[in-house]
Amino acid sequence: MNKYYGLKPGTITKQELEHTEIVRDVAAKGIVLLEHDGTLPLKSGSCAALFGYGARNTIFSGLGAASFTSREEVSIEEGLERAGITITSKDYLRRYSAVIQDEEDAYYSVMREAAKEALIDGVIKMYREPLVPSAQPIISETDLKEAKADIAIFVVSRMAGEDADRSLIEGDYYLSKEEKENLRILSENYEKVIVLLNVGAPLDTSYIRSLPNLSALLFVGQAAGVTGLSVADILTGKVTPEGKLVDTWAEKYEDYPNADNFAAMNGNVDDEYYTEGIFVGYRYFDSFGIVPTYPFGYGLSYTEFSINTGNILKENGQVLIETEVKNIGNDYAGREVVQAYVSAPNTEIEKAYQDLKGFEKTDLLQPGETQRIQVAFDIRSLARYSEKKAAWILEAGDYVVRVGNSSRNTRIAGIIRVEEEIICEQCKNLCGLDENMEEMSAKELIRKIRAEEIRSIADAQVICIKKEDVSYIKNSYREPLWEKEVQNLQKTEEEESRLLRFEEILSGKISLDAFVNSLTAEEMSYLCVGNAGEGEATFVTYGSGNTKTDAIIPMSPGTCDTTRNLVESRGIPNMHMSDGGSGLRMLPQFEVDKEGNLLTDGIISVRNVDKIIGRDYITDRVNHDVFEQYTTGLPMATMLAQTWDRECWKKCGEIEGKEMQWVHVELWLAPSMNIHRNPLCGRNFEYYSEDPVITGECASAVIKAIQSFRYAGVTMKHFACNNQEANRHATNAHVSERALREIYLKGYEIAVKNANPAAMMTSYNMINGTHTANLYELLTLIARDEWGFDGMIMTDWGTTSQSDNDKRKYKASTCAGCIRAGNDLIMPGSHKMVTAICDSWKRIMCGGFC
């Protein structure tokens, strides 16, 4: 009989409380103050009239894999009240909540109907057709009389998530007519108006910024259960704003380089042409002279800082920039982020105007306090990829170093002079375009900008870089296995006489090669797929030491595992995985009967599925055992990146590592590291940034912290170019090799080399005509041979599903192709997959591969 251990309902541990407080602090540090006239912070005891969808119905995270299962979810209304702010608009909020509840009831009734045959059908429909709130009640004269206060706070909220992109419509990227009307009313009737953006990605802020009485605008994001607490901490001054944007917010949507052809915008969801090339985010805006509303790296504080640059040095393959930061305000302590950008010479290889190369954050500085900060980055990070030479090259010329606190607020700090061309790394051309595609160019525009800067550059200090300052790497690539002659290894007498066991490897009795050689084709095929379709088996772990307070995880789409078929016969332990980019996504409660049978469907771990069910999913709380496994929700990935704080990233990683040990999850199916190519991507909240350096650095810190715990590993995803949700299973991303390497793969490369992640997950889409799960050049030649990745590569769930092949322009990936390309594991697995892999292996042994 299986045994399931967990906490009794209502048990709140010290760890849970500690983790919640850490996340509350981190989330506040990721909030970005966009506009401010000096009104904030609010004083305790103040009165405020609170309006907007997210005031009481705060959005805590996006939908899908990155949802969370925290015990408590504090709305913005509740958070402000806990902080001592009196909310005067209670009658309006009650009336609006009733409207929202009616809408939700109707919506989930439709989802419930879709789920009649199978609950998963309702979940898929919920993903693809997210609830879009209808018209807000217009604030009336009566509402205004009841909601007496000098300050009005309005919360703009948006929900986005997996399997659906956002829309360029009112109520999504644009404010709805009702939101505009209510903001107009508030601006005419209150001395000060504060607007909070409870959203996962940029939206159009032009109307908000036009309000006569706008006092503050904040991007508060979605910070899981602590959202309301973190917002209150910022508004009341418990925490001084220190977040900085990790995306460029455009003046209008049409300013984005791929505005017209992103995903479904041009009606073609089969082929996505990355014609912007390397010009993504601020690289585009800065190179083409387009002024954004809020630039990359931007964020205000309740105080101000000065940044002065000292010497620029080279040391041990790095560039070091010495700076001095001073809090020049009078009233508030705060923190500043020193950002270093480099403008490369625009010679044979075209460059963006500038690229972020390094950053550092100060300590908390009191008014008048000064701190010296050193920003460092590798010299080889200045190299660009030449498709012509298939190499990373430092071209000869002057590299201008700029230092400041956003991409649009920097000063020239010095020159890095490369005296002759340096080949830093020799590669070979991989993952090239499958058809001709013209990319945009800013060469002439940048040449004009640089010509105007000649005077300011003339007096800058210079450091010279020579070939001996940069180590040379020449990559070598393996020969494809299917081009080698396959030899059937002879088994020893011992291998023939008995089944070798996994624990014998650990004890040193046998070698890993001997053990693998003893496995049958069928056994090896089972190791290549997940456990879906298998019966339950005894939980096995080596050295973790179960106790009565440990939780043996009920398996589900959010907590899957590898095969259990070899646990008893071979002693190979199954590895447990959990989804959840915003924390471990578990079953908050599960039910076990007296015979030890698990009665709770694991899909209930998906956010809002309980609303589809429409009743208590625990069937018998009296006669059955009920256990809890609440975990700590983290701020959405974009908010985490917006802290620009390695210590914050480390703390969140440590929370995940500790909780993974507690619930016996060996592999976290995160972080998600795709680039914010366009603000309409439905899953942007789950990804870090438009910039690969911030993406790689943030992921590296999180990964290192998690993997400092025994038996805890991460899975970087979705590798690569999963930059849209529309037709995500069958979209062909046409992208140049250079843009792929410099923008879309660079974050993963940084994380692999800095943090050695345990695993990575391929994406659903294709890159230049081949599904990433079947792309040998990406998975084996780039990830393993060039970067040295030695972890596990797995597919995303259902990558090889053939169910809708007849409707696709591009057919699904194949099981045999996944293994051939370099995947170690196909998820979620099935007997059909085992058979397909086993049959393919037998054909190899006969001299061919299908």
Side-chain angles (χ1 to χ4, degrees), residues 771-847:
H771 281 280
T772 62
N774 286 176
L775 190 48
Y776 177 79
E777 292 186 354
L778 177 69
L779 307 188
T780 299
L781 301 189
I782 291 179
R784 295 199 185 279
D785 291 347
E786 290 186 5
W787 301 349
F789 178 69
D790 62 358
M792 180 176 70
I793 299 178
M794 69 169 75
T795 71
D796 204 341
W797 268 235
T799 291
T800 59
S801 173
Q802 311 286 317
S803 60
D804 58 351
N805 256 356
D806 58 326
K807 301 176 184 177
R808 292 183 176 185
K809 176 180 178 179
Y810 300 108
K811 306 308 179 188
S813 59
T814 65
C815 292
C818 288
I819 302 304
R820 171 174 170 162
N823 285 278
D824 302 290
L825 186 64
I826 302 175
M827 293 300 289
S830 68
H831 291 300
K832 186 177 180 180
M833 290 180 186
V834 172
T835 301
I837 295 169
C838 195
D839 288 347
S840 294
W841 173 250
K842 290 174 182 176
R843 283 193 288 274
I844 292 177
M845 300 308 294
C846 295

Side-chain angles (χ1 to χ4, degrees), residues 573-592:
N574 50 315
M575 180 169 58
H576 304 81
M577 312 173 194
S578 172
D579 242 333
S582 294
L584 297 174
R585 196 192 78 191
M586 312 296 293
L587 281 168
Q589 292 190 340
F590 62 93
E591 179 180 9
V592 179

Side-chain angles (χ1 to χ4, degrees), residues 132-144:
V132 179
S134 58
Q136 288 187 13
I138 300 301
I139 300 167
S140 67
E141 288 292 333
T142 302
D143 295 325
L144 293 171

Side-chain angles (χ1 to χ4, degrees), residues 654-674:
E654 288 173 343
I655 286 173
E656 290 304 286
K658 288 177 183 178
E659 296 190 357
M660 287 173 70
Q661 288 197 317
W662 174 61
V663 295
H664 290 300
V665 166
E666 288 85 29
L667 205 59
W668 186 40
L669 300 178
S672 300
M673 297 174 60
N674 298 103

